[in-house]
Amino acid sequence: MTFYSEDEEQLRMIRTSARDFADTYIRPHVMDWDESQHFPVDLFKKMGEYGFMGVLIPEQYNGVGLGYPEYITILEEISEVCGSIGLSLAAHNSLCSNHILSFANEEQKSKYLPKLATAEWIGAWGLTETSSGSDAASLTTTAVREGDYWILNGSKTFITHAISGDITVVMARTGEKRDNHGVTAFIIEKGTPGFTAGKKINKLGMRASETASLFFDHCRVHQDQVIGNVGEGFIQALKLLDGGRISIAALSLGIARGAYACALRYANEREQFNRKIYDFQDVSFKLADMATKIDAAELLIRRAGYLKDAGEKVTKESAMAKYYASEVAVEVSNASVQIHGGYGFTKDYPAEKYFRDAKLCTIGEGTSAIQKMVIAREIRKDVGQ
């Protein structure tokens, strides 16, 4: 069994394409975008031309119809250069686009997926609220039926592409609170009356990935914009997050590889006491640990991706991959700063940005504690309890 692509030559070509793209169009601007919190919309349009914004979308909807091995590879390569761009790429592909691909009707797919696949439209996905982060079942944004329309009131927070997104998939309560069948998913286009975005959130890391709140003030949405059946939104979201966690794991892997690469390079350039610092056991052993944990993380991610492509349930495997890879990204980026010494604390070297970006990976799409809850619940099934 291989956890990589059955077509290894194709995977190598995709890796080369993504790497060249990142080096050409992203690397020269990383720190400028980070400092100014600039969300480079034009870059994502360019990624649409390369097929990176419709990786999993079938060709019939203008996507490239690839699988998770290729998707993981693209995310890893982009994120190794800039975690912010990798995060936005993941949110567009895994959440907004994939929700429509997985659960929408044919009319909705034909209308929206071609625009999302080519990045003519950028997608957002709204679940998190101020009072319901990890406790997603307690969301308070409501949708009340009024003839052929639903009236939405409430707000969402920490939404990627809230301002620039052309289309947002939103979960709103249509039933009783904490009822898993009391939430419905809606497709809402930018400019819909009563649907607005707040100001950009000033973040520690992932600063070039746009994050803001969304507000719904008597927002009228036609029933044709409901995804699936009324009351299925929360169940859809949970299924979607299995794939989303693979995305964040791949994002984490890219960040970890970037932090490791710059630390390895620095350790072989920097001299102290007339020796390369790599020759000190403390440094070389630290790098050995980093390399080993990165490879272990990739194997977990590739396994989850393989099973996802095979149509298998991946709740446990994706949670394991996301939990381990995100914690490895934090550990490796921290070690990278340490190896750089004082220079690692400056913006003249890339280590500090990997350090800042990595932390989000242990929070977004379920904290590490939530991943352990999911894993613990799943492994208990192995003993029939």
Side-chain angles (χ1 to χ4, degrees):
M1 179 185 296
T2 176
F3 294 150
Y4 291 80
S5 173
E6 293 181 2
D7 188 342
E8 293 299 329
E9 180 58 32
Q10 174 179 272
L11 195 64
R12 279 192 291 271
M13 290 174 61
I14 289 170
R15 183 180 295 279
T16 299
S17 176
R19 182 174 295 170
D20 290 346
F21 182 94
D23 284 338
T24 302
Y25 297 107
I26 301 174
R27 194 180 297 278
H29 310 288
V30 167
M31 290 312 297
D32 287 341
W33 291 342
D34 181 78
E35 291 285 343
S36 63
Q37 286 205 110
H38 173 65
F39 178 59
V41 174
D42 289 345
L43 174 77
F44 289 89
K45 304 293 185 182
K46 175 67 71 174
M47 283 200 284
E49 296 175 14
Y50 276 68
F52 298 159
M53 298 292 273
V55 182
L56 302 172
I57 296 175
E59 293 181 15
Q60 70 186 91
Y61 303 116
N62 290 347
V64 290
L66 296 174
Y68 270 80
E70 293 80 15
Y71 180 45
I72 290 166
T73 298
I74 291 167
L75 265 177
E76 176 195 347
E77 290 296 331
I78 298 295
S79 303
E80 184 172 338
V81 173
C82 182
S84 295
I85 305 305
L87 175 62
S88 280
L89 186 65
H92 177 93
N93 277 280
S94 295
L95 297 178
C96 181
S97 298
N98 207 29
H99 198 141
I100 295 172
L101 176 63
S102 299
F103 302 108
N105 59 42
E106 185 56 40
E107 183 178 352
Q108 293 167 333
K109 290 179 183 178
S110 297
K111 180 178 180 180
Y112 294 114
L113 288 179
K115 294 181 179 180
L116 290 166
T118 58
E120 178 183 345
W121 280 12
I122 291 174
W125 194 76
L127 176 64
T128 302
E129 298 181 358
T130 303
S131 59
S132 61
S134 296
D135 184 14
S138 67
L139 61 86
T140 59
T141 295
T142 59
V144 178
R145 187 71 178 265
E146 197 174 273
D148 290 339
Y149 288 84
W150 291 87
I151 312 302
L152 274 68
N153 284 285
S155 64
K156 300 290 180 179
T157 193
F158 295 122
I159 306 304
T160 305
H161 310 152
I163 300 169
S164 299
D166 300 283
I167 176 178
T168 306
V169 174
V170 174
M171 270 55 68
R173 180 155 302 288
T174 52
E176 295 299 317
K177 194 171 184 179
R178 303 206 66 80
D179 178 3
N180 286 353
H181 295 281
V183 174
T184 301
F186 299 86
I187 301 173
I188 307 180
E189 296 181 19
K190 188 176 186 176
T192 299
F195 177 46
T196 57
K199 68 177 183 178
K200 191 178 296 185
I201 297 172
N202 191 8
K203 307 191 300 291
L204 167 72
M206 302 291 195
R207 292 170 57 80
S209 178
E210 179 187 277
T211 310
S213 296
L214 291 172
F215 301 99
F216 309 90
D217 183 9
H218 294 88
C219 177
R220 288 168 57 85
V221 181
H222 196 270
Q223 63 182 3
D224 289 346
Q225 299 301 97
V226 171
I227 300 179
N229 296 320
V230 172
E232 292 182 346
F234 187 68
I235 304 302
Q236 293 171 1
L238 290 182
K239 291 179 179 178
L240 200 71
L241 286 173
D242 282 349
R245 285 166 180 158
I246 298 174
S247 293
I248 300 302
L251 166 67
S252 304
L253 177 64
I255 292 172
R257 284 206 189 283
Y260 165 74
C262 69
L264 180 63
R265 185 167 55 249
Y266 184 82
N268 280 282
E269 294 172 351
R270 174 71 166 171
E271 291 189 3
Q272 292 287 275
F273 306 103
N274 294 320
R275 299 164 64 188
K276 304 289 188 184
I277 64 171
Y278 185 91
D279 294 328
F280 291 98
Q281 190 179 80
D282 177 66
V283 174
S284 61
F285 277 21
K286 192 179 265 89
L287 286 160
D289 281 340
M290 294 158 74
T292 301
K293 290 178 179 180
I294 287 170
D295 279 6
E298 181 172 14
L299 287 172
L300 283 172
I301 297 165
R302 295 289 179 181
R303 179 184 68 166
Y306 173 85
L307 293 173
K308 188 76 169 64
D309 263 7
E312 301 288 336
K313 181 183 178 183
V314 294
T315 302
K316 178 182 72 175
E317 289 80 7
S318 65
M320 284 180 168
K322 195 270 186 187
Y323 165 55
Y324 187 75
S326 63
E327 292 292 341
V328 165
V330 170
E331 181 179 342
V332 168
S333 61
N334 179 60
S336 182
V337 170
Q338 197 68 26
I339 288 171
H340 280 78
Y343 291 109
F345 205 65
T346 73
K347 292 183 181 292
D348 294 329
Y349 287 78
E352 63 85 27
K353 183 178 182 298
Y354 290 118
F355 179 74
R356 288 186 289 109
D357 287 348
K359 189 57 190 171
L360 186 277
C361 298
T362 68
I363 300 171
E365 295 197 36
T367 64
S368 290
I370 291 295
Q371 305 312 314
K372 286 191 277 189
M373 287 173 59
V374 171
I375 296 164
R377 183 185 66 221
E378 292 298 311
I379 62 176
R380 192 171 197 179
K381 295 174 183 177
D382 294 339
V383 292
Q385 293 187 20

